[in-house]
Every structure is written in C-alpha cells, then in structure tokens.
Amino acid sequence: MGQQKFGVIGLAVMGENLALNVERNGFPISVYNRTSSKTDDFMKNRAQGKNVHAAYSLEDFVQSLERPRRILVMVQAGKPVDAVIEQLKPLLDQDDMIIDGGNSLYEDTERRTRDLESTGLGFMGMGVSGGEEGALWGPSMMPGGTEASYRELEPILTKVAAQVDDGPCVTFIGPGGAGHYVKMVHNGIEYGDMQLIAEAYDLLKNAVGVSNEQLHEIFAEWNKTPELESFLIEITADIFRKKDPETNNHLVDMIIDSAGQKGTGRWTVVNALELGVAVPTITAAVNARIISGIKDERVAAAKELTGPTGKYEGDTQDMINKVRDALYCSKICSYAQGMALLSAASKEFNYNLNLGECARIWKGGCIIRAGFLNKIKKAFDENPGLPNLLMAPEFKQTILDRQNAWREVISTASQLGLPVPAFSASLDYFDSYRRASLPQNLTQAQRDYFGAHTYERIDKPRGEFFHTEWPEK
C-alpha cells in the first residue's frame, strides 16, 4: 500500500510550487506529469533530497498514495481536466478525492462534482491565487465541494495556505462550483484593480509628466498608506525601478502596450450580465485589454484621428494626491461590484457564501491581497446583509470626502484626451447607485411604445403594470 500522503498531477510552475509547498509542510508527495522529461527535471533539481515519489505512469502514481487518496490536478482548464479525470477514475477507490486546482469555469466544476460524487469519489474545485511565489510559500485557496471533502483536506490546506493575523487564507467556500466561482470573481476584481492602477500611471506619466523614478517613489509611498497598501501597488513600484539590460532604458517603456487575458475576467462579466448585476469597472478593464490587443489598428488610427493634447498645468503634488484619491474611490467601487456579484450568485446557486470570510482569505497569498480587505471583512461581519459596500459607513464617508478630487481627475483626463475607462465606470457606478431617479423611465416608455412591454407608475403600488397606446390616432 502506498505511503505518500498527497499527489500532484501536472508539473508546470504552479503545480511544482504547490507540490513543494505541501512537502515542506510535512506531507510526503507523489508527482506525475504526462511528459516524463518534466518529471526528470523536477526530481533532479527542485525536488532533490525531498520526500517526493516520481511516478511515470498513472497506475504507479495512484498506487503510491495512501488511502483515501488525495490528488491535486494542476493542468490546463477545460478538456485537459476532463481527460485526466477519465484516466484516473478506473484506478481509484471509493472515497478517494480529486482536487482541481486550476482556473476552471465554475459550471464545469458543478458538472464534475455531480458526476464524481455519484460514483463514490470525492471531488473539489479549488481556486488558487498567488502566482508562483504564492503557490510555493502560501497561496489564498478557495475550495468548494462537499464540506466533508473539505474537512478531509483541511489539515493539509490550512498548513499550505498563506497565514495572516486571523488565520490561514483558506476556508470552506460552499457546495459544487462555489470555490471556482469565488476565484473567478476574485480574478475579475483583479482585472479592475490592474486597470485602475494602469490609468493612474497613465495620468501621472502623460498628463502630469512625472518620471519613472518619481513613479517608483509615488507608488512606494502609496503602498505605505492604509488605503492603498497592497501587493499590486507594491509590485508596481518595483516595476518602475527596473532597467532593461539591453538598452538601459526603463523596462516598462520597452514593453508593448498589448495585454493578454486567460478568460476569468471575461467569465466574470458574462456571468454578471446573466445574473443582472452591474460590474462596469470590471467590464471596462476587460474591454481595455481587448482594445489594447488591436495594437496595429491603433497605431494606424493614431495617424488620422486627432484629439486634445497638452499637459496638466496645475500643481503637480496636488494632482498626484487627487489621482491617489480617485484610485482609492474607484477601487472601492470595483470591490463593491465584485462583492455584489458574489452576493447575487450565492442566492442564485445556493452557495451560502460568507462574504466576510471571502475578504479575509484574500488578505494574504493572493494577487489582490491588500490592507483594506480588513475593512471589507469588518463591513460584512458587522452587517452580513449589507446590500453594497458603498453603504458601509467607512466606505461611504471615504467617497463622500474624496469625490471632488475623483471628479476633477476624470475631467482633467477627458480634457487632455487620456482614456480612463475604469475610473469613469467607477464614478458612473457611484453616481447611478446614489440617485433615487434615473432616466430609465424614458427607456421603459420606449419599450412599451414599440413592444407593449408595460411599465409601473410612481403613483401606484409596485408590481402593478400598465400599457398605453402611444401613437395618437
């Protein structure tokens, strides 16, 4: 009978690092990779001298594990995950467990959970965030499935996860695809965060005219504040200091402005539309990456389409401070949208999500880890039924105090012809949410005019619908 306590399939960087993390925390591991040369390289280098069993067939891999077996699958999302599961199923015994640690679509996880649990096998879809370093030294993990499966894995996961002041950055998220759903929304928030930071950079560099050296100092200083202290701000400060060894220019200036994406941001936007939840900041971030991808088209358009030019003429430090405030206000709106989507999904899919715990486990290990997640956790702990983060006392007051700076920054960007889609979408979200009346009374009148879709009246009880024959006879 096998003696290794945990198995990992897939030895790309995330798989390797998670495997080493598990082994370092006292759990002997077995590893398998479809390409045996990858396994050889791992064993000769990073796994040398460690309690790692290298398997060169799935049969050997499965037999090397103690029962009930716990197998983490770290392969590309989609069909490769299904292929590995199908290969494993005939080799496993009742109560053995497969954990999908990739960025799988939550609907795929729901299906796999149903299929495998019905055969007596355990299955858990687990979002893992933190990149290479997080995987090795402690990621944020979002496991979903049956609570019994989580309790079986809990002794391992709580040691492997990032550790913060109030515990390990892992918790049981909820049934079915809940873990991967929360990871999907986490990534959507990450898209929003990154786009907002990019817009702040664009304003400071191309409107205010600060140098890369100054940008390093500005972001390093922002990272010391309770509002903006975060992993993404920290690495942004580092990026502005890096020189290109080939040209001795700043490396950031040598990188083509075309950003990639792996799908989780787009999935977030699509699902938000399906659930009827507004996530305009996240949508703007996805759209910004899409339009960045048509680089050649933009270069051609730049030669023919003109707009405002010039620099900001006011006080430099004053505008830097206002950009900081605009960034924080916009960031609050981005997180408010993400948490509102989690709340809606929790009801729609019966996930029973604890939003305060979601914020807590993002405090360490993950890409969006930030000091102000403590404030989000506190807001939902104090009011689990909070309809929107904008209504939490601290966040409400923060925006009320800083909104003039926020508006001035966006106005300045517009006057200078600099696109700030995520800043603007965040402010539009705030302005729409705070207004008791919106112009969609006209929209509904139009819908009733051309399609007899009916409407409600302000002087009648909600739920009573009316139709008018609009064209005059």
Side-chain angles (χ1 to χ4, degrees):
M1 182 176 177
Q3 296 299 312
Q4 305 301 95
K5 294 186 176 297
F6 197 79
V8 177
I9 295 177
L11 291 176
V13 174
M14 287 293 287
E16 278 193 7
N17 284 0
L18 282 168
L20 293 171
N21 188 345
V22 171
E23 192 276 340
R24 187 182 67 250
N25 279 284
F27 304 97
I29 62 170
S30 285
V31 297
Y32 171 78
N33 195 80
R34 185 179 62 174
T35 305
S36 58
S37 59
K38 182 66 175 172
T39 307
D40 287 336
D41 183 62
F42 180 60
M43 296 303 296
K44 289 175 184 176
N45 293 288
R46 303 185 73 195
Q48 192 171 41
K50 303 184 187 303
N51 197 338
V52 180
H53 170 77
Y56 291 89
S57 70
L58 280 177
E59 291 79 5
D60 176 33
F61 173 78
V62 169
Q63 290 304 312
S64 71
L65 297 171
E66 72 173 18
R67 296 177 58 185
R69 302 175 180 96
R70 307 172 185 92
I71 299 170
L72 176 64
V73 177
M74 295 297 297
V75 301
Q76 186 178 353
K79 292 181 179 179
V81 176
D82 287 322
V84 170
I85 289 172
E86 288 304 310
Q87 292 166 358
L88 281 172
K89 279 167 63 175
L91 305 176
L92 299 180
D93 298 300
Q94 187 164 345
D95 297 327
D96 288 348
M97 189 188 312
I98 299 172
I99 310 112
D100 174 14
N103 269 335
S104 288
L105 181 62
Y106 74 97
E107 292 170 320
D108 289 340
T109 303
E110 298 276 3
R111 167 179 55 80
R112 291 165 186 150
T113 301
R114 289 192 302 268
D115 292 348
L116 288 169
E117 294 285 348
S118 67
T119 68
L121 296 174
F123 183 76
M124 179 164 284
M126 183 171 71
V128 179
S129 179
E132 299 176 19
E133 288 297 304
L136 182 61
W137 298 110
S140 171
M141 294 186 288
M142 295 149 259
T146 65
E147 190 159 4
S149 294
Y150 174 73
R151 298 306 168 198
E152 177 74 18
L153 284 169
E154 191 174 22
I156 298 176
L157 298 182
T158 52
K159 286 191 175 183
V160 169
Q163 307 294 317
V164 293
D165 55 353
D166 49 6
C169 292
V170 63
T171 191
F172 175 63
I173 297 296
H180 275 139
Y181 189 92
V182 170
K183 176 57 163 55
M184 176 188 77
V185 175
H186 163 287
N187 284 23
I189 294 171
E190 178 185 312
Y191 273 57
D193 252 0
M194 294 175 72
Q195 178 62 25
L196 291 168
I197 292 170
E199 291 175 18
Y201 152 66
D202 195 17
L203 282 161
L204 295 176
K205 186 176 182 69
N206 294 308
V208 183
V210 302
S211 66
N212 287 327
E213 289 82 1
Q214 291 171 309
L215 284 165
H216 163 70
E217 294 172 1
I218 290 166
F219 278 87
E221 189 63 33
W222 287 358
N223 194 49
K224 298 175 184 176
T225 66
E227 296 88 358
L228 292 179
E229 181 272 317
S230 65
F231 173 72
L232 285 170
I233 295 290
E234 176 188 345
I235 68 170
T236 301
D238 286 346
I239 285 168
F240 291 125
R241 191 167 51 180
K242 186 73 172 178
K243 290 291 189 76
D244 173 29
E246 292 186 28
T247 64
N248 204 38
N249 295 328
H250 284 91
L251 182 56
V252 68
D253 294 331
M254 304 303 297
I255 297 173
I256 291 177
D257 56 319
S258 180
Q261 56 176 312
K262 291 189 174 180
T264 45
R266 172 170 47 83
W267 294 347
T268 302
V269 172
V270 169
N271 182 252
L273 290 171
E274 291 170 344
L275 294 184
V277 178
V279 291
T281 308
I282 299 170
T283 303
V286 174
N287 284 336
R289 293 199 191 188
I290 292 170
I291 202 165
S292 80
I294 56 170
K295 173 69 173 177
D296 293 342
E297 204 171 323
R298 288 187 291 112
V299 169
K303 298 173 183 176
E304 300 188 36
L305 302 178
T306 60
T309 59
K311 296 284 187 180
Y312 175 70
E313 300 293 342
D315 182 83
T316 296
Q317 187 57 52
D318 181 59
M319 179 52 70
I320 290 170
N321 293 339
K322 286 174 178 174
V323 171
R324 177 200 61 207
D325 289 347
L327 176 59
Y328 186 46
C329 290
S330 298
K331 182 185 179 82
I332 291 170
C333 287
S334 182
Y335 278 74
Q337 294 160 34
M339 302 311 280
L341 179 55
L342 288 179
S343 179
S346 183
K347 297 181 180 73
E348 178 71 18
F349 305 133
N350 297 314
Y351 285 158
N352 195 30
L353 299 179
N354 182 325
L355 299 186
E357 269 292 277
C358 289
R360 186 194 69 79
I361 66 171
W362 292 344
K363 286 167 54 178
C366 72
I367 303 302
I368 65 170
R369 60 184 183 266
F372 103 123
L373 285 162
N374 280 312
K375 298 179 181 180
I376 296 179
K377 180 182 185 303
K378 179 183 177 185
F380 284 109
D381 286 349
E382 291 178 349
N383 182 5
L386 184 69
N388 192 291
L389 272 182
L390 296 178
M391 298 302 292
E394 180 170 347
F395 292 124
K396 175 180 70 175
Q397 196 58 48
T398 292
I399 289 185
L400 293 179
D401 291 342
R402 304 184 191 205
Q403 64 172 305
N404 288 341
W406 193 12
R407 296 179 191 282
E408 184 177 335
V409 165
I410 293 171
S411 174
T412 299
S414 176
Q415 290 168 0
L416 296 176
L418 292 178
V420 283
F423 272 24
S424 300
S426 296
L427 180 58
D428 288 343
Y429 181 77
F430 170 72
D431 280 338
S432 296
Y433 192 75
R434 70 177 182 82
R435 286 189 63 187
S437 298
L438 292 168
Q440 274 60 53
N441 54 325
L442 175 59
T443 303
Q444 199 60 19
Q446 292 169 331
R447 294 183 72 240
D448 189 57
Y449 189 115
F450 65 66
H453 291 291
T454 74
Y455 55 86
E456 296 172 281
R457 294 177 56 96
I458 62 172
D459 56 350
K460 304 291 183 182
R462 292 297 303 271
E464 289 188 31
F465 292 89
F466 301 87
H467 169 59
T468 293
E469 294 295 333
W470 291 91
E472 292 185 7
K473 302 298 185 184

